[in-house]
Amino acid sequence: MSANRHALRGQMCRHYKDATNDDGHHISAGVEREVPWVAIAPVVRSVRILERIVPEGELLFSAAHHDFQGAKAHHGALKNGTLNRRIDSFVAWANREAVTQGLPQQAIPEDPHGELGMARFRRTLAWHIARRPGGLIALAIQYGHMRTVLDVRTSTGYGARGRRGIHGVLDVETALAAADTAARLRDRMAAGEKISGPAARRAVTGATKAPHFEGRIVPSTFARKAAAYLARDGIVLFDNPDALLICAFKRETALCQPAPNATSPNVLDCRAGCGNMARTDTHASQLRDRADEIDQLAAHAPMHIGNRLRANAARLRQAAVTHAATAETAEALR
């Protein structure tokens, strides 16, 4: 894959819940996932270190090779309790090092929601994945639940299992990302930024009147709140950092061809001229910056590719000019 992303295969990429043979019998040893895990370089380095610690073919977190408190006779992987204690020890070590190295600002603060632990890693991973264009699909792939997403809520599998349901995860992360977008837009409006685009007025309404949403992947009530938050068609705001705009998603005017019951846009198919688009002064500045970057690439590209790159840069600059000519303050749009 690219220099920033790597595909991981092997024992770590096996799934067990739906692993069956040709006769439909469960395979207790699991089978390798068709879709590999996708990871960034630090994860790959960590895996390689673990591979050096344990013998070939052994589990990366084998209890027989990692439990140094007399439990080496145990088989299988380290248990959650042991891993949670390791996390506590790491936090304590990191905080001591921060003080020793004179870097107290890099200490890991106490979490108001409780101790760190394995149960919270899934949510942390989901938070980072879901906040990128195409992140919700990536999230489903990473968790191995692509089928439930393609079934669009018709499946009764994980989609109906409360806090562990992938649809609950997707809804909560989508709602949190939308709430973050609304909060950022409120901050930009408070700082005096102007807004343009056919959905500018709806974006202002969505930012100023959106209810505060906080979610947890615990009881199913949070997933229901997330679904209700996203059901406010027309005023839920989605950031698209690749297109450098905000989508005030409304199904009937969306050009990204959303499903009839969709509550979020297809950001991978964001199209110019969509009635759901809004931009701020920050987006316009980012458009100009990206145009400059593309021009730098064009200067070192073959003629025809360079011409296409320069044309793309010109379109971005024109979008920034259009914003400057049409943008209004939030007060004027209310």
Side-chain angles (χ1 to χ4, degrees), residues 304-333:
H304 296 299
I305 295 177
N307 289 340
R308 287 197 293 270
L309 289 171
R310 279 184 282 271
N312 187 19
R315 285 193 294 271
L316 295 179
R317 289 196 178 91
Q318 183 57 49
V321 170
T322 300
H323 167 82
T326 60
E328 298 182 79
T329 63
E331 288 72 19
L333 290 167

PDB file of all heavy atoms in Angstrom, residues 304-333:
ATOM      1  N   HIS A 304       1.066  17.406 -20.263  1.00  0.00           N
ATOM      2  CA  HIS A 304      -0.387  17.219 -20.230  1.00  0.00           C
ATOM      3  C   HIS A 304      -0.895  17.077 -18.800  1.00  0.00           C
ATOM      4  O   HIS A 304      -1.943  17.625 -18.446  1.00  0.00           O
ATOM      5  CB  HIS A 304      -0.777  15.999 -21.070  1.00  0.00           C
ATOM      6  CG  HIS A 304      -0.468  16.161 -22.525  1.00  0.00           C
ATOM      7  ND1 HIS A 304      -1.039  17.157 -23.297  1.00  0.00           N
ATOM      8  CD2 HIS A 304       0.362  15.471 -23.365  1.00  0.00           C
ATOM      9  CE1 HIS A 304      -0.591  17.067 -24.539  1.00  0.00           C
ATOM     10  NE2 HIS A 304       0.264  16.060 -24.615  1.00  0.00           N
ATOM     11  N   ILE A 305      -0.156  16.341 -17.978  1.00  0.00           N
ATOM     12  CA  ILE A 305      -0.558  16.218 -16.569  1.00  0.00           C
ATOM     13  C   ILE A 305      -0.455  17.570 -15.886  1.00  0.00           C
ATOM     14  O   ILE A 305      -1.341  17.963 -15.115  1.00  0.00           O
ATOM     15  CB  ILE A 305       0.322  15.165 -15.863  1.00  0.00           C
ATOM     16  CG1 ILE A 305       0.084  13.780 -16.466  1.00  0.00           C
ATOM     17  CG2 ILE A 305       0.033  15.152 -14.360  1.00  0.00           C
ATOM     18  CD1 ILE A 305       0.965  12.695 -15.884  1.00  0.00           C
ATOM     19  N   GLY A 306       0.601  18.297 -16.182  1.00  0.00           N
ATOM     20  CA  GLY A 306       0.767  19.626 -15.591  1.00  0.00           C
ATOM     21  C   GLY A 306      -0.367  20.555 -15.967  1.00  0.00           C
ATOM     22  O   GLY A 306      -0.844  21.342 -15.143  1.00  0.00           O
ATOM     23  N   ASN A 307      -0.817  20.471 -17.220  1.00  0.00           N
ATOM     24  CA  ASN A 307      -1.929  21.327 -17.651  1.00  0.00           C
ATOM     25  C   ASN A 307      -3.203  20.996 -16.880  1.00  0.00           C
ATOM     26  O   ASN A 307      -3.958  21.902 -16.492  1.00  0.00           O
ATOM     27  CB  ASN A 307      -2.169  21.152 -19.151  1.00  0.00           C
ATOM     28  CG  ASN A 307      -1.061  21.769 -19.989  1.00  0.00           C
ATOM     29  OD1 ASN A 307      -0.317  22.625 -19.505  1.00  0.00           O
ATOM     30  ND2 ASN A 307      -0.933  21.335 -21.233  1.00  0.00           N
ATOM     31  N   ARG A 308      -3.455  19.702 -16.674  1.00  0.00           N
ATOM     32  CA  ARG A 308      -4.653  19.322 -15.911  1.00  0.00           C
ATOM     33  C   ARG A 308      -4.546  19.787 -14.466  1.00  0.00           C
ATOM     34  O   ARG A 308      -5.535  20.240 -13.869  1.00  0.00           O
ATOM     35  CB  ARG A 308      -4.858  17.806 -15.978  1.00  0.00           C
ATOM     36  CG  ARG A 308      -5.357  17.320 -17.340  1.00  0.00           C
ATOM     37  CD  ARG A 308      -5.931  15.924 -17.257  1.00  0.00           C
ATOM     38  NE  ARG A 308      -4.900  14.947 -16.963  1.00  0.00           N
ATOM     39  CZ  ARG A 308      -4.185  14.309 -17.881  1.00  0.00           C
ATOM     40  NH1 ARG A 308      -4.378  14.571 -19.168  1.00  0.00           N
ATOM     41  NH2 ARG A 308      -3.272  13.421 -17.528  1.00  0.00           N
ATOM     42  N   LEU A 309      -3.348  19.663 -13.895  1.00  0.00           N
ATOM     43  CA  LEU A 309      -3.162  20.123 -12.519  1.00  0.00           C
ATOM     44  C   LEU A 309      -3.381  21.625 -12.413  1.00  0.00           C
ATOM     45  O   LEU A 309      -4.037  22.108 -11.474  1.00  0.00           O
ATOM     46  CB  LEU A 309      -1.760  19.754 -12.031  1.00  0.00           C
ATOM     47  CG  LEU A 309      -1.498  18.267 -11.761  1.00  0.00           C
ATOM     48  CD1 LEU A 309      -0.018  18.024 -11.489  1.00  0.00           C
ATOM     49  CD2 LEU A 309      -2.336  17.788 -10.573  1.00  0.00           C
ATOM     50  N   ARG A 310      -2.844  22.378 -13.361  1.00  0.00           N
ATOM     51  CA  ARG A 310      -3.018  23.833 -13.319  1.00  0.00           C
ATOM     52  C   ARG A 310      -4.485  24.222 -13.509  1.00  0.00           C
ATOM     53  O   ARG A 310      -4.972  25.187 -12.889  1.00  0.00           O
ATOM     54  CB  ARG A 310      -2.133  24.495 -14.380  1.00  0.00           C
ATOM     55  CG  ARG A 310      -0.674  24.638 -13.925  1.00  0.00           C
ATOM     56  CD  ARG A 310       0.149  25.391 -14.953  1.00  0.00           C
ATOM     57  NE  ARG A 310       0.505  24.508 -16.072  1.00  0.00           N
ATOM     58  CZ  ARG A 310       1.593  23.762 -16.097  1.00  0.00           C
ATOM     59  NH1 ARG A 310       2.437  23.784 -15.079  1.00  0.00           N
ATOM     60  NH2 ARG A 310       1.849  22.984 -17.141  1.00  0.00           N
ATOM     61  N   ALA A 311      -5.200  23.459 -14.335  1.00  0.00           N
ATOM     62  CA  ALA A 311      -6.634  23.734 -14.507  1.00  0.00           C
ATOM     63  C   ALA A 311      -7.391  23.474 -13.209  1.00  0.00           C
ATOM     64  O   ALA A 311      -8.314  24.220 -12.845  1.00  0.00           O
ATOM     65  CB  ALA A 311      -7.194  22.871 -15.635  1.00  0.00           C
ATOM     66  N   ASN A 312      -7.000  22.427 -12.500  1.00  0.00           N
ATOM     67  CA  ASN A 312      -7.630  22.123 -11.213  1.00  0.00           C
ATOM     68  C   ASN A 312      -7.340  23.234 -10.210  1.00  0.00           C
ATOM     69  O   ASN A 312      -8.234  23.675  -9.472  1.00  0.00           O
ATOM     70  CB  ASN A 312      -7.104  20.778 -10.692  1.00  0.00           C
ATOM     71  CG  ASN A 312      -7.838  20.313  -9.448  1.00  0.00           C
ATOM     72  OD1 ASN A 312      -8.944  20.770  -9.166  1.00  0.00           O
ATOM     73  ND2 ASN A 312      -7.230  19.410  -8.701  1.00  0.00           N
ATOM     74  N   ALA A 313      -6.087  23.703 -10.184  1.00  0.00           N
ATOM     75  CA  ALA A 313      -5.727  24.796  -9.281  1.00  0.00           C
ATOM     76  C   ALA A 313      -6.529  26.051  -9.600  1.00  0.00           C
ATOM     77  O   ALA A 313      -6.974  26.775  -8.688  1.00  0.00           O
ATOM     78  CB  ALA A 313      -4.228  25.078  -9.361  1.00  0.00           C
ATOM     79  N   ALA A 314      -6.739  26.308 -10.894  1.00  0.00           N
ATOM     80  CA  ALA A 314      -7.516  27.485 -11.292  1.00  0.00           C
ATOM     81  C   ALA A 314      -8.955  27.372 -10.815  1.00  0.00           C
ATOM     82  O   ALA A 314      -9.564  28.372 -10.379  1.00  0.00           O
ATOM     83  CB  ALA A 314      -7.461  27.653 -12.812  1.00  0.00           C
ATOM     84  N   ARG A 315      -9.538  26.167 -10.874  1.00  0.00           N
ATOM     85  CA  ARG A 315     -10.916  25.972 -10.390  1.00  0.00           C
ATOM     86  C   ARG A 315     -11.007  26.236  -8.893  1.00  0.00           C
ATOM     87  O   ARG A 315     -11.983  26.827  -8.417  1.00  0.00           O
ATOM     88  CB  ARG A 315     -11.394  24.561 -10.716  1.00  0.00           C
ATOM     89  CG  ARG A 315     -11.741  24.354 -12.195  1.00  0.00           C
ATOM     90  CD  ARG A 315     -12.506  23.047 -12.393  1.00  0.00           C
ATOM     91  NE  ARG A 315     -11.666  21.897 -12.095  1.00  0.00           N
ATOM     92  CZ  ARG A 315     -10.900  21.282 -12.991  1.00  0.00           C
ATOM     93  NH1 ARG A 315     -10.854  21.731 -14.236  1.00  0.00           N
ATOM     94  NH2 ARG A 315     -10.189  20.227 -12.650  1.00  0.00           N
ATOM     95  N   LEU A 316     -10.002  25.793  -8.162  1.00  0.00           N
ATOM     96  CA  LEU A 316     -10.019  26.025  -6.722  1.00  0.00           C
ATOM     97  C   LEU A 316      -9.923  27.516  -6.407  1.00  0.00           C
ATOM     98  O   LEU A 316     -10.627  28.025  -5.527  1.00  0.00           O
ATOM     99  CB  LEU A 316      -8.858  25.274  -6.065  1.00  0.00           C
ATOM    100  CG  LEU A 316      -8.903  23.740  -6.145  1.00  0.00           C
ATOM    101  CD1 LEU A 316      -7.677  23.127  -5.484  1.00  0.00           C
ATOM    102  CD2 LEU A 316     -10.171  23.195  -5.486  1.00  0.00           C
ATOM    103  N   ARG A 317      -9.055  28.211  -7.122  1.00  0.00           N
ATOM    104  CA  ARG A 317      -8.929  29.656  -6.883  1.00  0.00           C
ATOM    105  C   ARG A 317     -10.220  30.386  -7.261  1.00  0.00           C
ATOM    106  O   ARG A 317     -10.626  31.336  -6.575  1.00  0.00           O
ATOM    107  CB  ARG A 317      -7.749  30.224  -7.670  1.00  0.00           C
ATOM    108  CG  ARG A 317      -6.394  29.792  -7.125  1.00  0.00           C
ATOM    109  CD  ARG A 317      -5.268  30.665  -7.679  1.00  0.00           C
ATOM    110  NE  ARG A 317      -4.010  30.243  -7.084  1.00  0.00           N
ATOM    111  CZ  ARG A 317      -3.205  29.332  -7.615  1.00  0.00           C
ATOM    112  NH1 ARG A 317      -3.538  28.747  -8.763  1.00  0.00           N
ATOM    113  NH2 ARG A 317      -2.076  29.007  -7.025  1.00  0.00           N
ATOM    114  N   GLN A 318     -10.881  29.932  -8.326  1.00  0.00           N
ATOM    115  CA  GLN A 318     -12.140  30.554  -8.710  1.00  0.00           C
ATOM    116  C   GLN A 318     -13.207  30.320  -7.645  1.00  0.00           C
ATOM    117  O   GLN A 318     -14.017  31.214  -7.364  1.00  0.00           O
ATOM    118  CB  GLN A 318     -12.607  30.007 -10.053  1.00  0.00           C
ATOM    119  CG  GLN A 318     -13.890  30.666 -10.570  1.00  0.00           C
ATOM    120  CD  GLN A 318     -13.760  32.175 -10.692  1.00  0.00           C
ATOM    121  OE1 GLN A 318     -12.801  32.686 -11.257  1.00  0.00           O
ATOM    122  NE2 GLN A 318     -14.735  32.913 -10.140  1.00  0.00           N
ATOM    123  N   ALA A 319     -13.206  29.145  -7.047  1.00  0.00           N
ATOM    124  CA  ALA A 319     -14.157  28.883  -5.962  1.00  0.00           C
ATOM    125  C   ALA A 319     -13.903  29.814  -4.793  1.00  0.00           C
ATOM    126  O   ALA A 319     -14.853  30.303  -4.147  1.00  0.00           O
ATOM    127  CB  ALA A 319     -14.047  27.430  -5.511  1.00  0.00           C
ATOM    128  N   ALA A 320     -12.624  30.097  -4.497  1.00  0.00           N
ATOM    129  CA  ALA A 320     -12.292  31.033  -3.418  1.00  0.00           C
ATOM    130  C   ALA A 320     -12.735  32.445  -3.775  1.00  0.00           C
ATOM    131  O   ALA A 320     -13.232  33.194  -2.920  1.00  0.00           O
ATOM    132  CB  ALA A 320     -10.796  30.989  -3.138  1.00  0.00           C
ATOM    133  N   VAL A 321     -12.574  32.847  -5.064  1.00  0.00           N
ATOM    134  CA  VAL A 321     -13.016  34.164  -5.509  1.00  0.00           C
ATOM    135  C   VAL A 321     -14.534  34.276  -5.400  1.00  0.00           C
ATOM    136  O   VAL A 321     -15.070  35.299  -4.946  1.00  0.00           O
ATOM    137  CB  VAL A 321     -12.557  34.416  -6.961  1.00  0.00           C
ATOM    138  CG1 VAL A 321     -13.223  35.672  -7.527  1.00  0.00           C
ATOM    139  CG2 VAL A 321     -11.038  34.552  -7.012  1.00  0.00           C
ATOM    140  N   THR A 322     -15.244  33.232  -5.822  1.00  0.00           N
ATOM    141  CA  THR A 322     -16.712  33.219  -5.722  1.00  0.00           C
ATOM    142  C   THR A 322     -17.156  33.367  -4.278  1.00  0.00           C
ATOM    143  O   THR A 322     -18.110  34.104  -3.968  1.00  0.00           O
ATOM    144  CB  THR A 322     -17.277  31.923  -6.319  1.00  0.00           C
ATOM    145  OG1 THR A 322     -16.890  31.832  -7.693  1.00  0.00           O
ATOM    146  CG2 THR A 322     -18.792  31.883  -6.201  1.00  0.00           C
ATOM    147  N   HIS A 323     -16.464  32.675  -3.376  1.00  0.00           N
ATOM    148  CA  HIS A 323     -16.806  32.814  -1.957  1.00  0.00           C
ATOM    149  C   HIS A 323     -16.638  34.250  -1.502  1.00  0.00           C
ATOM    150  O   HIS A 323     -17.522  34.815  -0.841  1.00  0.00           O
ATOM    151  CB  HIS A 323     -15.909  31.903  -1.114  1.00  0.00           C
ATOM    152  CG  HIS A 323     -15.983  32.214   0.354  1.00  0.00           C
ATOM    153  ND1 HIS A 323     -16.999  31.742   1.168  1.00  0.00           N
ATOM    154  CD2 HIS A 323     -15.181  32.976   1.153  1.00  0.00           C
ATOM    155  CE1 HIS A 323     -16.819  32.186   2.403  1.00  0.00           C
ATOM    156  NE2 HIS A 323     -15.724  32.939   2.417  1.00  0.00           N
ATOM    157  N   ALA A 324     -15.510  34.854  -1.845  1.00  0.00           N
ATOM    158  CA  ALA A 324     -15.244  36.237  -1.401  1.00  0.00           C
ATOM    159  C   ALA A 324     -16.298  37.200  -1.915  1.00  0.00           C
ATOM    160  O   ALA A 324     -16.664  38.178  -1.236  1.00  0.00           O
ATOM    161  CB  ALA A 324     -13.850  36.659  -1.849  1.00  0.00           C
ATOM    162  N   ALA A 325     -16.830  36.929  -3.118  1.00  0.00           N
ATOM    163  CA  ALA A 325     -17.800  37.836  -3.724  1.00  0.00           C
ATOM    164  C   ALA A 325     -19.209  37.632  -3.195  1.00  0.00           C
ATOM    165  O   ALA A 325     -20.048  38.561  -3.270  1.00  0.00           O
ATOM    166  CB  ALA A 325     -17.786  37.667  -5.249  1.00  0.00           C
ATOM    167  N   THR A 326     -19.507  36.467  -2.657  1.00  0.00           N
ATOM    168  CA  THR A 326     -20.894  36.160  -2.265  1.00  0.00           C
ATOM    169  C   THR A 326     -21.088  35.909  -0.771  1.00  0.00           C
ATOM    170  O   THR A 326     -22.221  35.809  -0.317  1.00  0.00           O
ATOM    171  CB  THR A 326     -21.386  34.915  -3.028  1.00  0.00           C
ATOM    172  OG1 THR A 326     -20.536  33.793  -2.712  1.00  0.00           O
ATOM    173  CG2 THR A 326     -21.362  35.154  -4.529  1.00  0.00           C
ATOM    174  N   ALA A 327     -20.012  35.796  -0.015  1.00  0.00           N
ATOM    175  CA  ALA A 327     -20.119  35.434   1.401  1.00  0.00           C
ATOM    176  C   ALA A 327     -20.809  36.533   2.202  1.00  0.00           C
ATOM    177  O   ALA A 327     -20.651  37.721   1.924  1.00  0.00           O
ATOM    178  CB  ALA A 327     -18.738  35.148   1.972  1.00  0.00           C
ATOM    179  N   GLU A 328     -21.562  36.110   3.198  1.00  0.00           N
ATOM    180  CA  GLU A 328     -22.253  37.043   4.093  1.00  0.00           C
ATOM    181  C   GLU A 328     -21.974  36.667   5.532  1.00  0.00           C
ATOM    182  O   GLU A 328     -21.561  35.530   5.821  1.00  0.00           O
ATOM    183  CB  GLU A 328     -23.763  37.006   3.831  1.00  0.00           C
ATOM    184  CG  GLU A 328     -24.186  37.418   2.434  1.00  0.00           C
ATOM    185  CD  GLU A 328     -25.691  37.406   2.286  1.00  0.00           C
ATOM    186  OE1 GLU A 328     -26.345  38.359   2.728  1.00  0.00           O
ATOM    187  OE2 GLU A 328     -26.201  36.428   1.718  1.00  0.00           O
ATOM    188  N   THR A 329     -22.216  37.575   6.424  1.00  0.00           N
ATOM    189  CA  THR A 329     -22.053  37.280   7.846  1.00  0.00           C
ATOM    190  C   THR A 329     -23.207  36.418   8.320  1.00  0.00           C
ATOM    191  O   THR A 329     -24.281  36.365   7.701  1.00  0.00           O
ATOM    192  CB  THR A 329     -22.022  38.566   8.680  1.00  0.00           C
ATOM    193  OG1 THR A 329     -23.294  39.242   8.548  1.00  0.00           O
ATOM    194  CG2 THR A 329     -20.900  39.501   8.207  1.00  0.00           C
ATOM    195  N   ALA A 330     -22.987  35.742   9.441  1.00  0.00           N
ATOM    196  CA  ALA A 330     -24.046  34.915  10.001  1.00  0.00           C
ATOM    197  C   ALA A 330     -25.247  35.738  10.387  1.00  0.00           C
ATOM    198  O   ALA A 330     -26.408  35.304  10.222  1.00  0.00           O
ATOM    199  CB  ALA A 330     -23.496  34.143  11.224  1.00  0.00           C
ATOM    200  N   GLU A 331     -25.010  36.967  10.883  1.00  0.00           N
ATOM    201  CA  GLU A 331     -26.123  37.829  11.284  1.00  0.00           C
ATOM    202  C   GLU A 331     -27.008  38.171  10.099  1.00  0.00           C
ATOM    203  O   GLU A 331     -28.242  38.241  10.211  1.00  0.00           O
ATOM    204  CB  GLU A 331     -25.583  39.118  11.914  1.00  0.00           C
ATOM    205  CG  GLU A 331     -24.972  38.946  13.298  1.00  0.00           C
ATOM    206  CD  GLU A 331     -23.634  38.224  13.258  1.00  0.00           C
ATOM    207  OE1 GLU A 331     -23.004  38.170  12.171  1.00  0.00           O
ATOM    208  OE2 GLU A 331     -23.203  37.729  14.309  1.00  0.00           O
ATOM    209  N   ALA A 332     -26.400  38.381   8.932  1.00  0.00           N
ATOM    210  CA  ALA A 332     -27.174  38.730   7.741  1.00  0.00           C
ATOM    211  C   ALA A 332     -27.995  37.559   7.232  1.00  0.00           C
ATOM    212  O   ALA A 332     -29.010  37.744   6.559  1.00  0.00           O
ATOM    213  CB  ALA A 332     -26.231  39.211   6.639  1.00  0.00           C
ATOM    214  N   LEU A 333     -27.567  36.358   7.554  1.00  0.00           N
ATOM    215  CA  LEU A 333     -28.251  35.173   7.057  1.00  0.00           C
ATOM    216  C   LEU A 333     -29.315  34.659   8.022  1.00  0.00           C
ATOM    217  O   LEU A 333     -30.094  33.770   7.648  1.00  0.00           O
ATOM    218  CB  LEU A 333     -27.221  34.053   6.803  1.00  0.00           C
ATOM    219  CG  LEU A 333     -26.287  34.291   5.627  1.00  0.00           C
ATOM    220  CD1 LEU A 333     -25.131  33.295   5.656  1.00  0.00           C
ATOM    221  CD2 LEU A 333     -27.040  34.179   4.313  1.00  0.00           C
TER     222      LEU A 333
END
